[in-house]
Amino acid sequence: MTSQRQPATFRKRYEEHDDGLRFQEGTYTGNHPELEPVRDGILGDKVMRSRAKTGVLEKVGKDDVLRDQFTLDEMNDLNNYLAWNIWDVLVMRATEGVSGMIPRQEYEILSMLHMFYRYPEILGMITDEVGGAQGVLDLGSVACGELASQLNPLHDWCIGSCGFAMGRTGLMALEAIKSDEYVAESNTTLKFMQRQKWAKRGDGLLFNAQDRYRGRIHHQSVIDAVTAKVESFEPGDPRHAAFTQFNAAAELLAFLVHYDCRLGFSDTGPYELPDGKLLIIRDMFVNEPAFLWSQACDDAQLPHAYSLALVLDPDVMGLEEIRVNDIATSFTRPKNYLEAVVGGAVFVRDRWDTPMGEIYSVDQTELAGHLERIRSATIKLYTTISKTTRRDLVWGGHDVYYVGFLLPYLRHTGTYEKACRDYDLWEVDQRVANYYYEINKRGFAQETMPNKIFSGAGYLPFPDGTSLTRSKYRSM
């Protein structure tokens, strides 16, 4: 492998005038068939930002983030960008991790409808409990100093993309709401997302795509602590095989615990190291006590999460472009970056609230024991899921999304019990309970997800002149 080294060219992607590579052949039209189709990647981001009426997608300062609400044009710019961004990341990953046992499209659409209705009230409560906008910013920066924190950019993205954009699109497709309704509530959700993401990045931007697909949120002290534990190896070395095998097994279990979705998996980076190599920090949440089926992971004595440090040598693979996209997933060209992993480390976070000082590393010689427990839990969990009714699978998946997206914010602000007691967190709104039947008529879930949500066609703007205080006042 090392004899075939080729000079990497990925750094060209970070030059201002470079438009990046194509990672998928399709193009995005969205809700604007009159405009030129947009491609994925760096050029796609440039085009979408050039179409914005406001500066909300450029680098913004703290005063902008602390403002109580967006203007209508800013909300529409975010809506348009999220529609493209969702297409950009999800078309490539639409079938990722699917076991064939879990009705994912059904639970996704149900949970998104529920989020749009209920998240504004709960996010508003969290904002009040932390003392307002500054408190939300402080909360947003927590993950910068930790490994395996679920207060990560993926959860922030889910709040805005699922809780606002996709939920709103699904409800409009159901004709349950109109495009000029729930404006104030949408503002609350988008503001929470903006503050969380802005606090983590520290560069005035919100999305990895805006920074040529870099999601570098960690403090240097975290990078130093991680790299100090990295063990070097060459591709083909047995240690390389053991490390990548562990990565694959933990990833599979993290997906399964979260009902075939990516909520249990999060990459940050790439961080360029002094020797020119690249570091990806990968968090995999393999035991979530909030979900009853995670008992299989408890029985196997698995920790809450593993964090992996993956060190890539870009010259081993002749790296042309690397993306850590906005669903915290790493892509490269050429595709197989695991062959270029030349070093790694594994860290354990026993509980969600384990202090950073108590997170510990696992020696390469100890990986086999962890791998055995991961496989044991995976088999038991597959067995449990295979015996679960379709209805329970749909509502279980709904809980992974609807509760799982909120859970880190509730836990870290001490508001989880309040959300359960005063806001009926684990209950299902009657409207959404009725939609369980509606989404199965005429294949609504199977039609709406690709044709309205993944394609971007259903993301209608808020009409000009709509009041920022407008909610839904009638049902006709």
Side-chain angles (χ1 to χ4, degrees):
M1 176 74 71
T2 53
S3 63
Q4 301 172 6
R5 294 171 66 91
Q6 307 172 49
T9 59
F10 74 97
R11 293 180 184 85
K12 292 181 179 179
R13 307 290 85 82
Y14 304 140
E15 296 173 4
E16 182 180 356
H17 300 293
D18 190 273
D19 289 336
L21 306 181
R22 297 290 299 272
F23 277 39
Q24 54 181 313
E25 292 303 316
T27 56
Y28 171 84
T29 301
N31 192 41
H32 295 280
E34 76 282 3
L35 298 177
E36 188 75 19
V38 184
R39 73 176 223 192
D40 68 300
I42 293 171
L43 180 58
D45 163 73
K46 288 182 179 181
V47 172
M48 293 306 297
R49 286 203 276 168
S50 72
R51 293 178 179 178
K53 294 182 179 180
T54 72
V56 72
L57 294 168
E58 303 306 320
K59 292 185 177 181
V60 298
K62 186 175 182 179
D63 288 345
D64 293 306
V65 180
L66 291 177
R67 277 194 295 121
D68 287 341
Q69 59 185 3
F70 293 110
T71 67
L72 199 67
D73 283 342
E74 287 174 331
M75 293 176 72
N76 281 333
D77 285 342
L78 286 168
N79 180 56
N80 288 337
Y81 190 86
L82 281 167
W84 167 80
N85 186 270
I86 289 163
W87 169 84
D88 182 51
V89 300
L90 291 188
V91 167
M92 295 179 70
R93 298 310 247 182
T95 60
E96 177 190 52
V98 174
S99 67
M101 295 189 294
I102 298 172
R104 200 170 78 178
Q105 287 182 322
E106 288 85 345
Y107 84 61
E108 286 178 338
I109 190 68
L110 271 179
S111 61
M112 292 169 189
L113 306 179
H114 203 180
M115 291 176 218
F116 184 81
Y117 281 139
R118 294 300 319 282
Y119 272 16
E121 182 182 29
I122 299 174
L123 295 174
M125 178 271 288
I126 294 172
T127 301
D128 291 341
E129 289 289 325
V130 298
Q134 181 60 54
V136 178
L137 291 182
D138 295 339
L139 177 66
S141 64
V142 168
C144 301
E146 297 186 356
L147 294 175
S149 173
Q150 287 184 312
L151 283 173
N152 56 35
L154 173 60
H155 280 75
D156 305 337
W157 184 86
C158 290
I159 292 291
S161 64
C162 301
F164 161 71
M166 289 190 257
R168 178 173 178 264
T169 298
L171 285 166
M172 288 190 292
L174 269 176
E175 299 182 354
I177 69 170
K178 299 181 177 67
S179 61
D180 63 349
E181 296 176 328
Y182 292 103
V183 185
E185 291 87 345
S186 297
N187 223 324
T188 297
T189 301
L190 286 171
K191 265 294 172 182
F192 193 91
M193 177 201 73
Q194 182 201 39
R195 289 164 179 162
Q196 288 292 306
K197 294 183 78 62
W198 187 90
K200 288 178 179 65
R201 291 196 56 88
D203 59 3
L205 299 173
L206 303 182
F207 301 98
N208 292 1
Q210 294 173 286
D211 188 32
R212 296 169 179 264
Y213 295 87
R214 290 175 287 191
R216 302 169 299 177
I217 70 164
H218 283 108
H219 297 322
Q220 187 60 46
S221 59
V222 176
I223 303 301
D224 292 342
V226 165
T227 54
K229 296 294 184 179
V230 166
E231 298 182 43
S232 298
F233 40 69
E234 291 291 329
D237 186 310
R239 291 179 301 164
H240 177 274
F243 181 78
T244 55
Q245 187 177 43
F246 179 87
N247 171 74
E251 181 177 343
L252 175 62
L253 181 57
F255 270 95
L256 198 58
V257 168
H258 293 83
Y259 269 33
D260 280 351
C261 83
R262 319 200 38 76
L263 199 61
F265 178 101
S266 179
D267 283 357
T268 57
Y271 305 95
E272 189 158 359
L273 301 177
D275 61 2
K277 295 184 177 67
L278 297 176
L279 170 68
I280 298 291
I281 296 179
R282 173 165 298 162
D283 297 329
M284 291 185 282
F285 302 92
V286 297
N287 188 353
E288 177 45 72
F291 307 139
L292 293 177
W293 54 87
S294 194
Q295 183 63 45
C297 305
D298 253 359
D299 293 343
Q301 298 182 320
L302 287 174
H304 175 58
Y306 292 103
S307 280
L308 272 63
L310 294 89
V311 176
L312 281 64
D313 185 336
D315 290 330
V316 165
M317 62 185 298
L319 182 63
E320 298 172 29
E321 183 172 342
I322 180 168
R323 298 183 189 175
V324 176
N325 68 18
D326 285 297
I327 55 170
T329 308
S330 297
F331 288 96
T332 60
R333 290 295 181 269
K335 291 182 180 181
N336 188 5
Y337 61 85
L338 289 179
E339 292 183 357
V341 174
V342 295
V346 177
F347 300 85
V348 173
R349 186 166 196 165
D350 284 322
R351 304 173 311 279
W352 73 264
D353 58 351
T354 296
M356 182 64 180
E358 295 178 17
I359 294 174
Y360 59 93
S361 62
V362 176
D363 190 86
Q364 288 276 340
T365 60
E366 300 172 345
L367 282 184
H370 287 267
L371 182 59
E372 183 178 349
R373 295 200 294 274
I374 288 171
R375 286 172 170 166
S376 172
T378 301
I379 292 170
K380 188 170 184 178
L381 192 49
Y382 265 121
T383 302
T384 299
I385 290 173
S386 70
K387 296 177 181 178
T388 304
T389 65
R390 182 182 182 280
R391 181 184 180 89
D392 286 343
L393 289 173
V394 170
W395 287 115
H398 160 276
D399 291 346
V400 169
Y401 264 38
Y402 176 73
V403 177
F405 292 172
L406 284 175
L407 200 54
Y409 311 106
L410 296 172
R411 281 172 167 167
H412 281 267
T413 57
T415 57
Y416 174 76
E417 295 298 335
K418 182 178 180 66
C420 293
R421 182 186 65 246
D422 298 343
Y423 294 82
D424 295 319
L425 177 66
W426 287 92
E427 290 295 330
V428 179
D429 187 285
Q430 185 173 340
R431 293 166 291 186
V432 178
N434 291 338
Y435 297 151
Y436 174 81
Y437 301 98
E438 292 296 320
I439 64 166
N440 287 301
K441 295 177 181 177
R442 300 174 298 279
F444 179 83
Q446 292 78 13
E447 292 291 326
T448 300
M449 294 297 280
N451 295 333
K452 293 286 188 179
I453 293 178
F454 288 170
S455 74
Y459 296 78
L460 304 179
F462 294 101
D464 289 343
T466 304
S467 171
L468 289 175
T469 62
R470 182 169 176 76
S471 184
K472 182 177 176 69
Y473 300 106
R474 64 187 182 277
S475 181
M476 300 176 66

